[in-house]
Amino acid sequence: MFVRRIAVIGTGYVGLTTGACLASLGHDVVCADVDADKVKRLTAGEVDILEPGLADLVAEGIAAGRLSFVLGAANAVQHAPEVMFLCVPTPMGVGGVADLSIVESVVEEVRELLPVDCVVVNKSTVPVGTAERTEELLDRADVAVVSNPEFLREGSAVYDFLNPDRIVVGGRQQDAAERVAALYAKLGAPTVLTDAPSAELVKYAANCFLAMKLSYVNAVAELCDRLGANISDVTEGMGYDKRIGQAFLQPGPGWGGSCLPKDTSAMVQLADAADFEFRLIRATIDTNTRQRQRMVEKVRLAVTGKRNGSLSRRKLALFGLTFKAGTDDLRDSPALAVAALLRQAGADLVGYDPALKPETRHPDLSSVTVADDPYEAAKDAEAVVVLTEWPEFRSLDWSRLADSVRNPIVVDTRNLLDPAVARRAGFQWIGLGKP
Ligand SMILES: NC(=O)c1ccc[n+]([C@@H]2O[C@H](COP(=O)([O-])OP(=O)(O)OC[C@H]3O[C@@H](n4cnc5c(N)ncnc54)[C@H](O)[C@@H]3O)[C@@H](O)[C@H]2O)c1
């Protein structure tokens, strides 16, 4: 295997995982970030995101002299990289379009500094046409641009990076694309070598499909509620069909996180710009917005006994605030979206999440008081609302919880708990799509 000198720009979920995993595969990696404190902490081996195995890989990489951290992309280029990965944010911009300003500013920063024959790889999720735009901005005939979208999931980022379902690499210059694909050769994954627009579109098409699957199952769960069918049996019956599969068939309070909301919006904008109205994705987004409101309606009915009852000053305990279990990421969390609607309806909210501390600060967390103990969160609550699928909620002492709440009602928006256990403990259990 060729050992390559690699620069990774951005040390978030994707960048730090990419850097640490490529170092573990034997490459010589320097990672850059604009956050000076983060660079200092990473240099000392301190990883401040919750990702199983990541801190160990970072420590191993540093100890082996294969992984280092610097402030700013320009300093990473001093390392004379043969390949430079862009792993910076591409957030939702005005009107739902992907905001590429950070990608563009990094390209501008390194444009004149990149060594001859370097390959710039876009791992950030970017709209079709970004590789071409990057080539124009770079204006360097000796530097190739390649798209290599990332598919890792937060909470299992290292595992997913090292055990990918597939590697997708696209670029105008075949040799540059092959050089990037070769970095992953040891992983033995199926590799799709293509042009840049196709590689860029794979990422959006895949994420939109996943969002569509979730909106679909949430809509089917709503139908189950109305028709008296059981969503667990319906999805089990669907999932044995290999064309459908069991994954992504669990109903919930709506999809969220740092990727699906921005990527579905960007896809709609991308299609609009190409004069194609992608109604399927618009409906997917609308169904998701409605799903959050539907959770509030469930809580309202459970607590007040009326469809239009008031939640004003009603204390609710929210179990789970992160966007999914296994991560401490709160970005675009459906739990926080539901919390915001409950707060808007006047409820007083105390939340508990295994990944958060009472001192955790986040702009979307302002409406929730965070407790560091589920029993304390539940004290005098008029309902417990399960919003994130943390498995440890199943093994809480539900009898003790029943003693400390004001009303033993649990609205389980993830169908996480065993209803029989909750009922035995004295709770009225309300799930999604369950008769
Ligand atoms: N998080 C995921 O699960 C996931 C999965 C696949 C793809 N992606 C895509 O990967 C990209 C990065 O996502 P993320 O979740 O890792 O983001 P993140 O917010 O966790 O990390 C981004 C990092 O980039 C740094 N940064 C910002 N501007 C910079 C600059 N000018 N120079 C150097 N560093 C800079 C930030 O300080 C931060 O540390 C996005 O396009 C995202 O859509 C994310």
Side-chain angles (χ1 to χ4, degrees), residues 150-153 159-168 187-192 206 210 247:
E150 180 52 57
F151 301 96
L152 63 77
R153 296 162 299 173
Y159 178 86
D160 290 349
F161 191 97
L162 295 174
N163 302 274
D165 290 337
R166 77 303 210 181
I167 300 289
V168 176
L187 305 179
T191 299
V192 179
L210 294 174

Side-chain angles (χ1 to χ4, degrees), residues 37-59:
D37 284 340
K38 194 175 196 178
V39 170
K40 207 185 283 177
R41 287 195 301 275
L42 286 170
T43 303
E46 290 167 29
V47 173
D48 52 13
I49 50 177
L50 184 67
E51 277 303 335
L54 187 56
D56 290 343
L57 274 194
V58 168

Side-chain angles (χ1 to χ4, degrees), residues 233-252:
D233 296 343
V234 172
T235 51
E236 188 187 355
M238 288 166 65
Y240 285 123
D241 186 329
K242 291 187 189 63
R243 295 168 301 176
I244 297 172
Q246 298 283 358
F248 266 59
L249 277 189
Q250 288 73 38

Side-chain angles (χ1 to χ4, degrees), residues 9-15 32-35 38 72-73 87-90 102 105-106 109 123-125 150-154 203 258-259 262-263 329 331:
I9 314 302
T11 59
Y13 289 90
V14 170
D33 205 285
V34 277
D35 181 337
K38 194 175 196 178
C87 303
V88 291
T90 49
I102 301 177
S105 74
V106 171
E109 188 180 344
K123 211 173 225 329
S124 297
T125 303
E150 180 52 57
F151 301 96
L152 63 77
R153 296 162 299 173
E154 287 180 25
K203 177 66 189 176
S258 68
C259 291
K262 79 174 172 61
D263 294 351
D329 197 348
R331 291 179 291 180

